[in-house]
């Protein structure tokens, strides 16, 4: 970024119209997906030539271009990437936005001159997480959307890296990079660009096994949309570098509207009502500051709807056969879409507005004859959710040439007779070019004043990035100058200035160096010594330890709820003769290392690390560290890096199916991995607490009085499956799928690939259920019970049966990618 450009407004691009809407309305940067590899699987793919053209167009206009490659890369794909990265580097993007650790390493090796930004998909929510990004060579971190202004300030105080923060657009209820709902329910991984929007579906809630009346709130996991336009000044003061807008699947008009409003706010310190209004009308589930003002469990989720509703006008006051009266004065336009809806109910009606009138502090709405007014009644909410007239005005801002942003230039045409005609142009940034004609200037046989004609020809800059601010003619009055010669000079000068402004600086790139890096990773840890089978059981409450004595297991992991003392359960496990480990929570937010310190001070035999921030914090603790699935290890390059950072073993990403897992184990060596053969698959992992939001009026802990310790919530989905909602030590909720996953039939394959460490993860099982399941799995893994017999007995143990989960999903994200 230009040092003079202190703050950056970054807009999303999903097609070329969105690109022009962003550039022409004040974006400092745009971001879009690289061909075939990005986190918006439903978007249209750009060709390499499209990308090249957009990068050039943007840079000439002082707009930076960031290419998003923010997905996980699987082991069977990584060999195809070195040449691809070499080709991407040749396009000269200003930066790459990346999630996968292995992919970052490839870019830094193949094209070290390409700037790397750590994607929000890396779930960076602390200074420790930012440090991980810095170690990987990133120059910027895109922070998790769950962070407050205070969190961001604290991170900024502790890191030299640039920080990027989302300021507008849709909010995911789950931490980005940690949502496994789409993957585990339908084989459509959010970490692979195929989010199925499960958070926008209706659900029912059971409390302590009984249906709970939500009073019409069915969309329990659907947050309002983020709009931090009122928080921009504070974010600027903190020192955030880039303000990012979500929406690669939105419309060009949406991009234009957001760019205009946020540009005005950044430049003038305020946003006019005229420019704020489209933010709600074009797409809104209700605008909210998200987590920036801190956790507010009562305000984040509306619950009454999950789709676009637009601007709330107010309540319906009166209905007759020809009109509807709503509260408030609203300057509407003919053709606007008006939606009427009962809060929390499916009853709704809508139509195009024919006319409106003000009645004091009320607005009378008139519609066409075909509208059935019987569907509307007093008390309904009225929304303005569409406006063709507004969209038409916004489209003009980028679709009509007269509205293009132009950079003023000074033009000087000069020569003496017998010299080549020269054209010098200079922009306001002191870029200067000069071009000359092939022929020398001659005297006209019939002298005439050509100055106006020449100036008109020079100022014909349509289609370029420039407008003529000043034109000076320094040629004899009787010079012979033809229009074609002026046009050629103007064209050549513009092209020369474009080249200077584009400032081509292709990064040196070597695909061969990337291939060598991959080959090294596949051999670096391959020759590990053979180890005996090791079986670990993870428990989530101390009572689950009661019947574990005498079982053929080696270790127990304690993953306990908030406020539960770890010391006594740890002593109990050691009395049983097993090693004991502690599990960290899935995400480390700023200021949460105190709980890590408490765990480390107890000196367990090992710690299961679930996030990079915890890894950074615990590296020098002297306690053996092991990595869990939430680190998203899906290829040999990410596996090698995490082991190099002090982890002694890893767990494959849960985004991998059986074939992907086997490929990773084969290429890297199964002895470095622990594999879960029984687990309750996580879906949403979220800062939003449904216990506090729905069972109390409290905004946050501790005002909720730890209601989660007194009740249990189950979630019923639209298919009739019942999922368990479990809080963790930081009051975050994890939704676990109804049917646990069993990978028992894959144990022989895993063992052939060198795996000796197997894990069983319990959830809400009773002590006897824990013991029975552990006994069956342990005997089967150790070969003392046939897999067929064990599988039959295990199936009988489960209330809802067992599933093969994501391991046997065979569809891949690229099969559904639009081209």
């Amino acid at each position: 970024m230009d040092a003079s450009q202190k703050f950056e407004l970054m807009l999303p691009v999903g097609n070329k119209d969105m690109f022009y809407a962003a550039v022409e309305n004040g974006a400092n940067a745009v971001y879009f997906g690289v061909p075939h590899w990005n986190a918006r699987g439903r978007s249209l793919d750009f060709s390499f030539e499209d990308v090249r053209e957009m990068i050039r167009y943007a840079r000439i206009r002082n707009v930076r271009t960031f290419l998003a490659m923010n997905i996980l890369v699987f082991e069977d794909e990584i060999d195809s990437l070195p040449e691809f990265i070499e080709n991407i580097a040749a396009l000269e993007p200003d930066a790459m936005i990346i999630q996968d650790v292995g992919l970052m390493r490839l870019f830094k090796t193949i094209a070290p001159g390409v700037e790397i930004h750590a994607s929000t998909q890396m779930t960076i929510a602390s200074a420790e997480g930012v440090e991980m990004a810095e170690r990987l060579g990133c120059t910027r971190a895109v922070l998790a959307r769950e962070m407050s202004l205070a969190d961001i300030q604290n991170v900024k105080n502790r890191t030299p890296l640039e920080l990027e923060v989302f300021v507008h657009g849709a909010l995911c209820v789950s931490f980005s990079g940690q949502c496994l709902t789409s993957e585990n329910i339908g084989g459509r991984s959010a970490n692979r660009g195929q989010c199925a929007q499960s958070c926008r579906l209706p659900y029912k809630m059971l409390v302590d096994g009984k249906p709970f009346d939500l009073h019409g709130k069915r969309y329990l996991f659907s947050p309002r949309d983020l709009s931090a336009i009122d928080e921009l000044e504070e974010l600027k003061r903190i020192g955030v570098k880039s303000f990012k807008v979500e929406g690669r699947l939105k419309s060009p008009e949406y991009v234009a509207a957001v760019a205009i409003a946020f540009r005005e706010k950044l430049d003038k310190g305020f946003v006019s009502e005229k420019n704020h209004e489209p933010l709600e009308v074009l797409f809104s589930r209700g605008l909210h500051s998200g987590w920036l003002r801190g956790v507010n469990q009562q305000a984040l989720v509306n619950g009454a709807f999950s789709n676009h509703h637009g601007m709330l006008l107010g309540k319906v006051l009166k209905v007759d056969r020809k009109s509807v009266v709503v509260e408030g004065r609203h300057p509407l336009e003919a053709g606007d879409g008006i939606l009427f809806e009962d809060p929390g109910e499916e009853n709704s009606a809508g139509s195009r507005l024919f006319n409106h009138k003000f009645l004091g502090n009320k607005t009378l709405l008139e519609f066409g004859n075909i509208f059935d007014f019987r569907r509307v009644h007093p008390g309904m909410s009225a929304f303005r959710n569409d406006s063709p007239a507004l969209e038409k005005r916004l489209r003009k801002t980028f679709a009509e040439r007269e509205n293009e942003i132009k950079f003023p230039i000074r033009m000087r045409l000069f020569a003496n007779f017998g010299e080549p005609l020269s054209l010098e142009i200079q922009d306001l940034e002191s870029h200067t070019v000069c071009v000359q004609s092939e022929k020398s200037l001659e005297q006209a046989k019939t002298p005439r004043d050509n100055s106006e004609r020449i100036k008109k020809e020079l100022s014909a800059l349509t289609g370029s990035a420039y407008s003529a601010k000043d034109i000076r003619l320094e040629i004899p009055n009787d010079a012979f100058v033809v229009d074609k010669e002026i046009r050629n000079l103007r064209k050549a000068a513009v092209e020369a200035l474009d080249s200077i402004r584009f400032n081509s600086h292709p990064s040196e790139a070597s695909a061969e160096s990337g291939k060598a890096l991959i080959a090294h990773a596949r051999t670096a840890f391959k020759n590990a010594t053979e180890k005996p089978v090791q079986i670990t059981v993870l428990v989530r409450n101390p009572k689950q330890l009661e019947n574990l004595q005498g079982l053929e297991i080696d270790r127990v992991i304690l993953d306990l709820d908030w406020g539960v003392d770890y010391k006594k359960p740890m002593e109990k496990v050691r009395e049983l003769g097993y090693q004991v480990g502690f599990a960290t929570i899935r995400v480390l937010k700023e200021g949460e290392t105190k709980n890590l310190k408490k765990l480390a001070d107890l000196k367990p035999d090992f710690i299961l690390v679930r996030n990079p921030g915890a890894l950074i914090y615990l590296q020098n603790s002297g306690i053996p560290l092991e990595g869990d699935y939430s680190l998203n290890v899906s290829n040999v390059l990410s596996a090698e890096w995490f082991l190099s950072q002090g982890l002694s073993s890893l767990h494959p990403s849960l985004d991998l199916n059986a074939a992907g897992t086997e490929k990773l184990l084969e290429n890297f060596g199964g002895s470095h991995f622990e594999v879960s053969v029984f687990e309750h698959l996580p879906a949403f992992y979220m800062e939003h607490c449904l216990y506090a939001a729905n069972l109390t009026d409290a905004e946050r802990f501790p005002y909720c009085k730890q209601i989660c310790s007194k009740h249990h919530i189950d979630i019923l989905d639209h298919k009739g499956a019942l999922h368990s909602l479990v809080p963790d030590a930081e009051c975050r909720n994890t939704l676990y799928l109804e049917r646990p996953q069993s990978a028992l039939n894959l144990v022989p394959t895993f063992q052939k690939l060198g795996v000796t460490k197997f894990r069983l993860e319990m959830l809400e099982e009773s002590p006897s259920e824990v013991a029975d399941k552990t006994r069956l799995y342990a005997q089967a893994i150790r070969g003392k019970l046939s897999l067929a017999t064990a599988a039959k007995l295990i199936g009988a143990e489960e209330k809802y049966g067992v599933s093969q989960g994501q391991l046997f999903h065979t569809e891949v994200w690229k099969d559904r990618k639009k081209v």
Side-chain angles (χ1 to χ4, degrees):
M1 186 186 301
D2 188 335
S4 64
Q5 185 178 295
K6 192 173 181 180
F7 303 108
E8 176 184 271
L9 176 61
M10 186 193 306
L11 275 297
V13 169
N15 57 50
K16 282 193 173 181
D17 278 350
M18 293 172 72
F19 171 76
Y20 293 118
V23 172
E24 302 300 341
N25 282 290
N28 303 116
V30 294
Y31 68 101
F32 46 92
V34 302
H36 316 306
W37 298 87
N38 65 82
R40 287 296 180 271
R42 290 179 289 147
S43 65
L44 185 69
D45 253 343
F46 294 117
S47 69
F48 270 75
E49 192 53 41
D50 288 336
V51 174
R52 190 188 312 278
E53 289 175 3
M54 288 191 291
I55 288 175
R56 181 176 178 82
Y57 185 95
R59 189 172 299 156
I60 287 169
R61 291 158 177 80
N62 288 340
V63 176
R64 302 183 80 197
T65 48
F66 303 141
L67 301 188
M69 203 168 173
N70 48 342
I71 45 88
L72 296 184
V73 176
F74 292 172
E75 181 61 20
D76 62 351
E77 300 164 334
I78 202 161
D79 289 314
S80 66
L81 284 175
E83 285 85 1
F84 183 84
I85 291 172
E86 191 174 75
N87 292 333
I88 287 291
L91 299 175
E92 301 185 52
D94 290 290
M96 299 296 302
I97 304 171
I98 295 178
Q99 172 189 11
D100 190 280
V101 168
L103 185 57
M104 285 183 177
R105 296 185 65 204
L106 266 184
F107 261 97
K108 296 307 292 183
T109 300
I110 295 169
V114 174
E115 192 174 325
I116 303 296
H117 296 173
S119 169
T120 191
Q121 290 288 116
M122 293 188 78
T123 328
I124 295 174
S126 66
E128 289 79 11
V130 175
E131 183 178 337
M132 172 199 170
E134 187 176 8
R135 291 185 186 185
L136 285 160
C138 298
T139 58
R140 177 185 295 184
V142 186
L143 297 180
R145 279 169 270 205
E146 288 78 3
M147 298 182 69
S148 69
L149 292 168
D151 293 334
I152 297 168
Q153 176 71 79
N154 290 336
V155 170
K156 181 60 182 173
N157 292 342
R158 298 172 61 199
T159 179
L161 259 64
E162 292 181 355
L163 300 181
E164 180 174 304
V165 171
F166 278 93
V167 294
H168 194 84
L171 279 176
C172 301
V173 75
S174 185
F175 282 90
S176 295
Q178 295 299 317
C179 184
L180 294 160
T181 314
S182 294
E183 170 64 36
N184 287 332
I185 291 178
R188 294 175 55 181
S189 170
N191 283 324
R192 299 276 287 174
Q194 286 291 338
C195 175
Q197 300 281 298
S198 301
C199 55
R200 306 299 179 187
L201 297 175
Y203 295 89
K204 295 179 180 179
M205 195 166 88
L206 282 73
V207 178
D208 302 329
K210 298 178 181 178
F212 186 79
D213 186 0
L214 290 163
H215 303 289
K217 291 173 62 176
R218 298 183 301 141
Y219 300 95
L220 300 173
F221 300 102
S222 181
R224 303 173 196 263
D225 289 343
L226 170 67
S227 189
I229 202 160
D230 292 332
E231 285 70 35
L232 274 188
E233 290 302 314
E234 181 68 9
L235 289 168
K236 287 167 65 176
R237 186 197 64 76
I238 288 170
V240 171
K241 177 65 73 173
S242 183
F243 307 117
K244 189 172 194 173
V245 175
E246 180 276 339
R248 279 189 275 162
L249 295 177
K250 301 289 199 325
S251 70
E253 292 79 9
Y254 166 90
V255 171
V258 178
I260 291 168
F262 277 78
R263 185 78 271 156
E264 182 178 38
K265 181 70 173 182
L266 285 170
D267 294 346
K268 299 180 181 179
F270 67 88
V271 58
S272 63
E273 182 62 32
K274 178 190 73 171
N275 289 335
H276 190 279
E277 180 182 282
L279 299 184
E280 293 190 85
V281 176
L282 293 186
F283 195 96
S284 167
R285 299 180 180 93
L287 300 182
H288 184 251
S289 59
W291 286 278
L292 287 171
R293 294 292 178 188
V295 173
N296 186 338
Q297 307 293 3
Q298 302 303 323
L300 182 73
V301 172
N302 172 285
F305 54 82
S306 67
N307 57 354
H308 165 56
H309 270 52
M311 176 184 287
L312 176 64
L313 301 179
K315 296 291 184 183
V316 173
L317 301 176
K318 180 182 178 183
V319 183
D320 60 29
R321 291 183 299 171
K322 294 183 179 180
S323 63
V324 176
V325 178
V326 299
E327 58 187 3
R329 292 171 63 92
H330 307 289
L332 306 173
E333 299 184 78
D336 282 356
I338 305 296
L339 169 70
F340 300 101
E341 189 170 80
D342 278 321
E345 298 181 19
E346 295 187 18
N347 183 34
S348 65
S351 184
R352 294 284 177 191
L353 183 67
F354 177 72
N355 192 18
H356 76 291
K357 300 174 185 177
F358 295 135
L359 303 175
N361 288 326
K362 297 174 283 189
T363 305
L364 182 143
L365 311 178
E366 296 177 340
F367 301 92
N369 293 331
I370 62 171
F371 183 59
D372 186 358
F373 287 89
R374 293 173 299 178
R375 297 178 60 192
V376 184
H377 60 80
M380 295 182 89
S381 296
F383 299 86
R384 180 190 182 198
N385 66 353
D386 183 33
S387 178
L390 176 60
E391 291 188 15
K392 185 177 180 180
R393 289 194 296 273
L394 287 167
R395 175 160 282 275
K396 285 182 178 180
T397 65
F398 60 89
E400 296 186 0
R401 284 183 169 178
E402 66 215 44
N403 293 321
E404 289 180 356
I405 290 179
K406 296 284 188 177
F407 293 87
I409 56 173
R410 296 184 176 90
M411 310 180 79
R412 183 168 74 100
L413 186 72
F414 62 95
N416 294 315
F417 290 132
E419 297 175 350
L421 190 60
S422 299
L423 176 60
E424 179 187 87
I425 61 176
Q426 182 183 62
D427 63 21
L428 298 188
E429 299 163 44
S430 299
H431 299 122
T432 303
V433 298
C434 186
V435 295
Q436 293 183 328
S437 63
E438 295 180 0
K439 297 179 180 179
S440 299
L441 186 65
E442 298 178 358
Q443 188 174 14
K445 294 179 180 178
T446 307
R448 66 180 67 176
D449 185 2
N450 292 316
S451 58
E452 290 305 313
R453 175 179 61 84
I454 293 173
K455 286 183 178 180
K456 182 178 180 181
E457 192 61 58
L458 286 173
S459 64
L461 294 165
T462 301
S464 76
Y466 316 109
S467 63
K469 178 184 180 183
D470 178 52
I471 300 176
R472 293 164 53 193
L473 302 182
E474 298 176 5
I475 57 175
N477 290 334
D478 55 347
F480 176 70
V481 181
V482 298
D483 289 351
K484 182 178 180 181
E485 195 168 27
I486 297 299
R487 283 195 295 271
N488 290 340
L489 282 173
R490 185 193 68 228
K491 181 181 178 182
V494 166
E495 289 176 351
L497 185 58
D498 280 352
S499 294
I500 289 179
R501 292 177 66 88
F502 178 63
N503 187 24
S504 178
H505 53 279
S507 174
E508 290 187 13
S510 168
E512 293 304 315
S513 62
K515 294 176 182 178
L517 181 70
I518 295 169
H520 176 269
R522 287 175 176 161
T523 58
F525 292 90
K526 203 71 178 282
N527 298 320
T529 55
E530 191 170 330
K531 300 174 184 177
V533 168
Q534 182 183 80
I535 299 175
T536 302
V537 178
L538 182 147
V539 299
R540 289 190 165 88
N541 71 70
K543 289 185 178 180
Q544 292 177 324
L545 300 173
E546 291 177 3
N547 295 343
L548 286 184
Q549 188 169 9
L551 298 179
E552 296 182 84
I553 62 173
D554 305 280
R555 312 189 308 170
V556 173
I557 296 173
L558 300 177
D559 184 12
L560 306 181
D561 196 359
W562 182 90
V564 178
D565 177 35
Y566 271 76
K567 187 175 181 179
K568 290 182 179 179
M570 179 179 72
E571 293 171 348
K572 172 70 172 177
V573 173
R574 285 178 170 160
E575 288 173 5
L576 293 172
Y578 308 132
Q579 287 188 322
V580 60
F582 299 157
T584 74
I585 58 173
R586 289 261 293 279
V587 172
L588 178 73
K589 284 185 66 178
E590 183 63 16
E592 292 180 350
T593 55
K594 59 184 182 297
N595 284 337
L596 291 178
K597 185 178 186 305
K598 288 179 182 178
L599 296 181
D601 286 346
L602 289 171
K603 301 297 180 185
D605 297 305
F606 65 98
I607 293 180
L608 182 66
V609 173
R610 286 175 166 161
N611 62 79
L615 170 59
I616 299 298
Y617 181 82
L618 294 168
Q619 267 184 331
N620 299 317
S621 66
I623 300 170
L625 305 177
E626 302 179 7
D628 207 2
Y629 59 80
S630 48
L631 296 178
N632 284 328
V633 173
S634 59
N635 57 68
V636 295
L637 292 179
S638 55
E640 183 190 31
W641 190 84
F642 277 111
L643 289 185
S644 75
Q645 298 300 302
L647 294 179
S648 60
S649 67
L650 303 165
H651 191 295
S653 167
L654 292 188
D655 282 281
L656 293 170
N657 61 15
T661 301
E662 291 166 18
K663 193 70 174 178
L664 176 60
L665 300 177
E666 177 186 353
N667 286 354
F668 194 72
S671 62
H672 303 293
F673 288 90
E674 180 176 49
V675 178
S676 293
V677 292
F678 174 81
E679 64 183 316
H680 296 261
L681 291 169
F684 299 122
Y685 179 66
M686 52 196 181
E687 187 76 16
H688 184 51
C689 177
L690 267 66
Y691 287 87
N694 296 287
L695 304 186
T696 78
D697 295 324
E699 293 183 359
R700 62 183 67 87
F701 176 85
Y703 308 107
C704 64
K705 299 180 180 179
Q706 207 180 344
I707 192 72
C708 58
S709 65
K710 303 166 187 170
H711 299 282
H712 180 74
I713 290 177
D714 290 301
I715 300 296
L716 186 69
D717 70 18
H718 62 292
K719 295 182 179 179
L722 195 65
H723 312 297
S724 181
L725 192 72
V726 179
D728 69 13
E730 292 291 350
C731 297
R732 289 173 199 132
N733 288 185
T734 302
L735 187 69
Y736 288 95
L737 299 190
E738 177 184 72
R739 298 173 66 196
Q741 173 179 274
S742 177
L744 191 61
N745 60 332
L746 292 175
V747 168
T749 301
F750 291 157
Q751 288 177 325
K752 287 179 182 178
L753 294 171
V755 176
T756 59
K757 300 177 70 174
F758 298 94
R759 189 194 308 171
L760 313 175
E761 291 201 2
M762 305 299 163
L763 185 62
E764 295 164 338
E765 286 85 352
S766 67
S768 60
E769 289 172 332
V770 170
D772 290 343
K773 291 176 185 178
T774 299
R775 184 179 299 105
L776 290 172
Y777 275 95
Q779 290 178 352
I781 291 168
R782 296 187 187 279
K784 297 182 179 181
L785 183 67
S786 73
L787 294 181
T789 301
K792 184 177 179 180
L793 293 172
I794 288 166
E797 285 281 330
E798 295 299 336
K799 181 177 179 181
Y800 299 106
V802 293
S803 76
Q804 294 177 325
Q806 103 288 350
L807 285 170
F808 289 85
H809 290 152
T810 57
E811 290 183 292
V812 294
W813 69 288
K814 285 190 289 188
D815 290 344
R816 296 184 293 276
K817 184 73 178 172
K818 295 180 182 179
V819 292

